[in-house]
């Protein structure tokens, strides 16, 4: 090795050692500076004229453990550090003033919000509305369509026409058929899209449940078949996470199904003593309500402790009904079969029991004779859609849990089935009078 190479190597070694010493020194200096900026003085003293004399200074801190080299560096940066302390104090004062301003603004905004809440029509920015039929988009259909399902993004529609399932592409109020397949030889009464897994659940007249897997939404094939009930499945609902669905049946039971590697039975509720017609799940998804031919409404709650669903209330109604729906965690609506009233039930904050608090006049006295067409509450528009007899009623929830019938569409037949899209923009129905699949669009007046 040449002398030059040896000198370069030695110089490189010294440089590495010096770099290590500098790193160590600056680590200690940084720790000291960090201490300098921990201010224990109460913030209320910042405005005190004497604060400048009493504020922390470089000289007040323990410098033991630093070598001469490190002390020399500190002496050089001492003026900078003291200035930094003053800057930090001024910054803290500025932050304090800004926080005070924010608090004042928040208080003012809160008062404005409270004032808005007191104004009935401002709470949801409510406006009168109607659902108007798009006449040229209707589809002639001679077979009874017992169930209509719209997926979450409103891009697909599935319709159960006797034992057929028809899949339509849905775009800007126009339906285009893309597939037809058969569940069995029996009528299909339930359909539910699962967006996350791209699956479709169907239920039929004899209690069979089929899971259909979609391939690019153009080809649906059976992936699992379950013998769910011993009789007709009247209602099938799905939770938001799409890992639980609940079914009711004319076999007088309510069943809970959970997703493992495949869908499996979890639990059965047997408290109804006759046909069960309808189910609804609350916002928190810890309560289910049901109604049936036995003239009872059950409130069923999930117990975290036992990991089971338990009937916590059995409400006797004066007339059985086919439809009910949660409005929120504390309110639900029930539509009796007879008469012209809809009942509203509210949960008592102390007893946690639901009691009837309101009767809402919905339409002329018109008895109902058909189940299916489940009721829905659309939160985005604060609209409850609920069929009664020959009418489909649209009821707006207003301030203080009041309800107003905004529109009643008369179909002149009891044999009427349909669904609102999840955003409330479209209503799709089939009725025995027109023999049409009709599409209606939400329009504010």
């Amino acid at each position: 090795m040449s002398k030059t190479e040896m000198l370069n190597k030695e110089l490189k070694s010294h440089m590495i050692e010096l770099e290590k010493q500098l790193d160590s020194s600056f680590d200690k200096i940084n720790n000291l500076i960090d201490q300098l900026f921990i201010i224990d003085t109460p913030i209320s003293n910042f405005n005190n004229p004497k604060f400048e004399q009493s504020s922390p200074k470089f000289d007040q801190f323990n410098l033991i453990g630093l070598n001469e080299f490190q002390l020399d560096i500190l002496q050089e940066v001492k003026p900078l550090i003291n200035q930094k302390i003053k800057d930090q104090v001024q910054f803290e004062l500025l932050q304090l003033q800004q926080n005070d301003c924010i608090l004042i603004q928040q208080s003012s905004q809160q008062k404005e919000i409270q004032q808005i809440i007191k104004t009935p029509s401002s709470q949801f920015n409510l406006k009168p509305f109607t659902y108007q039929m798009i006449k040229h988009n209707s589809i002639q259909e001679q077979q009874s369509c017992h169930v209509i399902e719209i997926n979450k993004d409103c891009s697909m529609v599935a319709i159960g026409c006797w034992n057929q399932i028809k899949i339509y592409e849905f775009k800007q109020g126009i339906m285009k058929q893309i597939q037809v397949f058969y569940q069995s030889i029996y009528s299909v009464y339930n359909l539910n899209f699962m967006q996350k897994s791209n699956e479709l659940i169907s239920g039929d007249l004899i209690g069979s449940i089929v899971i259909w897997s979609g391939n690019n939404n153009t080809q649906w094939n059976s992936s699992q078949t379950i013998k769910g009930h011993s009789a007709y499945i009247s209602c099938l609902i799905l939770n938001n996470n799409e890992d639980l669905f609940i079914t009711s049946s004319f076999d007088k039971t309510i069943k809970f199904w959970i997703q493992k590697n495949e869908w499996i039975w979890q639990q059965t509720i047997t408290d109804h003593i006759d046909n069960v017609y309808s189910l609804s799940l609350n916002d928190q998804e810890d309560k289910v309500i049901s109604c049936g031919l036995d003239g009872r409404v059950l409130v069923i709650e999930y117990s975290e402790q036992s990991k089971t669903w338990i009937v916590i209330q059995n409400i006797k109604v004066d007339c059985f009904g086919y439809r009910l729906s949660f409005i929120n965690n504390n309110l639900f609506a029930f539509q009796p079969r007879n008469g012209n009233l809809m009942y509203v039930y509210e949960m008592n904050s102390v007893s946690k029991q639901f009691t009837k608090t309101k009767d809402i006049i919905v339409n002329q006295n018109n008895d109902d004779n058909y189940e299916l067409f489940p009721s829905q509450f659309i939160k985005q528009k604060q609209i409850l859609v609920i069929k009664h007899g020959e009418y489909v009623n649209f009821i707006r929830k207003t301030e203080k849990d009041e309800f107003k019938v905004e529109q009643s569409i008369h179909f002149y037949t009891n044999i009427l089935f349909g669904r609102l899209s999840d955003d409330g923009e479209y209503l799709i129905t089939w009725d025995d009078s027109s023999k049409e699949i009709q599409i209606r669009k939400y329009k504010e007046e």
Side-chain angles (χ1 to χ4, degrees):
M1 183 182 293
S2 67
K3 186 177 288 187
T4 302
E5 288 174 330
M6 290 178 64
L7 285 172
N8 285 339
K9 185 177 181 180
E10 186 176 352
L11 180 60
K12 186 176 181 180
S13 177
H14 283 305
M15 290 292 291
I16 292 171
E17 185 61 28
L18 180 59
E19 186 177 355
K20 288 181 180 178
Q21 290 182 15
L22 285 170
D23 285 342
S24 175
S25 297
F26 280 111
D27 282 344
K28 290 183 179 180
I29 292 168
N30 283 333
N31 287 335
L32 180 63
I33 291 172
D34 286 342
Q35 293 177 43
L36 287 169
F37 297 132
I38 297 173
I39 301 172
D40 293 324
T41 306
I43 198 76
S44 59
N45 290 340
F46 280 10
N47 292 322
N48 191 328
K50 296 181 180 180
F51 176 77
E52 185 174 349
Q53 286 77 32
S54 61
S55 62
K57 293 286 195 301
F58 172 88
D59 294 328
Q60 294 175 347
F61 290 85
N62 186 0
L63 305 182
I64 296 173
L66 300 181
N67 59 35
E68 288 185 7
F69 173 73
Q70 294 163 352
L71 286 170
D72 287 341
I73 293 175
L74 279 174
Q75 290 299 329
E76 289 293 325
V77 299
K78 175 181 174 180
L80 295 175
I81 292 174
N82 283 331
Q83 183 59 46
K84 183 65 177 175
I85 291 173
K86 289 182 180 180
D87 292 343
Q88 182 71 12
V89 170
Q90 291 176 355
F91 175 78
E92 294 289 342
L93 281 169
L94 181 61
Q95 287 292 100
L96 182 66
Q97 292 169 354
Q98 289 176 345
N99 288 341
D100 285 342
C101 290
I102 290 170
L103 288 172
I104 291 169
Q105 289 174 356
Q106 287 177 340
S107 176
S108 175
Q109 289 171 356
Q110 184 65 28
K111 289 178 181 178
E112 290 176 4
I113 291 170
Q114 290 174 352
Q115 184 61 40
I116 288 172
I117 290 174
K118 291 178 182 179
T119 307
S121 61
S122 300
Q123 186 177 3
F124 306 112
N125 192 25
L126 306 179
K127 295 180 181 178
F129 67 90
T130 56
Y131 281 88
Q132 299 181 2
M133 187 165 66
I134 310 173
K135 292 184 179 180
H136 55 277
N137 289 359
S138 296
I139 299 171
Q140 283 291 322
E141 180 56 71
Q142 295 300 311
Q143 295 188 88
S144 293
C145 299
H146 294 111
V147 56
I148 297 172
E149 168 69 355
I150 308 170
N151 70 347
K152 291 188 187 302
D153 64 10
C154 213
S155 63
M156 295 186 68
V157 176
I159 298 181
C161 298
W162 287 112
N163 62 337
Q164 291 182 331
I165 298 174
K166 297 184 177 183
I167 304 295
Y168 294 84
E169 180 184 70
F170 189 64
K171 190 174 182 180
Q172 296 179 342
I174 300 172
M175 291 172 56
K176 178 183 177 182
Q177 185 174 300
I178 56 178
Q179 188 184 359
V180 179
F181 53 93
Y182 294 83
Q183 167 160 335
S184 65
I185 62 172
Y186 301 100
S187 295
V188 176
Y189 288 131
N190 315 99
L191 290 168
N192 225 309
F193 277 112
M194 290 184 284
Q195 199 83 347
K196 293 180 181 179
S197 59
N198 195 31
E199 291 179 319
L200 178 69
I201 312 176
S202 64
D204 70 11
L205 178 66
I206 62 167
S208 295
I209 299 167
V210 180
I211 312 299
W212 305 88
S213 296
N215 180 15
N216 297 323
N217 293 334
T218 59
Q219 193 69 33
W220 295 81
N221 299 295
S222 171
S223 60
Q224 184 183 356
T225 300
I226 306 166
K227 182 55 181 173
H229 290 269
S230 61
Y232 153 52
I233 298 174
S234 55
C235 190
L236 189 157
I237 59 174
L238 184 69
N239 72 342
N240 289 327
N241 203 40
E242 298 182 357
D243 57 5
L244 166 75
F245 71 83
I246 311 166
T247 53
S248 62
S249 171
F250 277 25
D251 66 9
K252 309 172 188 177
T253 67
I254 297 166
K255 293 190 177 184
F256 296 81
W257 308 84
I258 56 174
Q259 173 74 284
K260 296 294 184 183
N261 293 329
E262 61 179 8
W263 288 97
I264 62 172
W265 168 85
Q266 181 193 36
Q267 185 183 346
T268 301
I269 299 292
T270 59
D271 290 53
H272 278 289
I273 58 174
D274 215 321
N275 300 343
V276 188
Y277 291 128
S278 187
L279 302 167
S280 181
L281 192 61
N282 70 343
D283 294 342
Q284 292 179 349
E285 301 192 331
D286 63 351
K287 287 186 179 67
V288 176
I289 49 176
S290 64
C291 61
L293 185 59
D294 56 5
R296 297 185 182 278
V297 172
L298 300 185
V299 182
I300 309 164
E301 185 175 63
Y302 183 72
S303 168
E304 285 289 350
Q305 185 175 0
S306 64
K307 304 297 181 185
T308 58
W309 294 84
I310 301 168
V311 176
I312 61 168
Q313 191 176 357
N314 191 327
I315 303 170
K316 186 73 176 76
V317 292
D318 54 13
C319 176
F320 79 88
Y322 297 120
R323 276 164 281 278
L324 80 178
S325 176
F326 268 111
I327 306 299
N328 55 40
N329 290 314
N330 302 317
L331 283 175
F332 72 82
F334 168 72
Q335 181 61 66
R337 174 186 178 272
N338 300 334
N340 65 340
L341 298 178
M342 182 188 77
Y343 301 163
V344 176
Y345 287 79
E346 185 172 0
M347 186 174 70
N348 184 285
S349 59
V350 178
S351 67
K352 305 299 180 183
Q353 297 283 290
F354 286 91
T355 55
K356 189 173 75 164
T357 56
K358 292 182 178 69
D359 292 333
I360 310 299
I361 299 174
V362 287
N363 50 255
Q364 66 187 42
N365 191 335
N366 189 268
D367 297 346
D368 208 344
N369 293 312
Y370 285 88
E371 64 278 2
L372 301 176
F373 199 153
S375 57
Q376 297 168 260
F377 183 70
I378 308 299
K379 290 194 177 300
Q380 186 175 336
K381 292 180 167 58
Q382 295 292 300
I383 294 173
L384 173 68
V385 56
I386 194 161
K387 173 187 180 284
H388 182 47
E390 298 179 352
Y391 292 84
V392 175
N393 297 311
F394 297 90
I395 303 169
R396 171 63 60 72
K397 178 179 175 292
T398 61
E399 188 196 22
K400 295 181 181 179
D401 298 328
E402 296 296 332
F403 295 86
K404 177 187 176 184
V405 179
E406 290 279 358
Q407 184 182 10
S408 289
I409 303 175
H410 194 184
F411 285 85
Y412 300 96
T413 176
N414 249 310
I415 307 173
L416 164 64
F417 312 100
R419 180 172 175 82
L420 267 182
S421 59
D422 283 354
D423 59 6
E425 285 297 314
Y426 292 96
L427 171 72
I428 303 178
T429 59
W430 180 91
D431 68 272
D432 189 53
S433 176
S434 70
K435 302 286 187 182
E436 288 181 340
I437 298 170
Q438 297 179 348
I439 302 166
R440 287 174 169 81
K441 180 79 169 64
Y442 173 89
K443 184 177 181 181
E444 290 183 345
E445 295 179 356

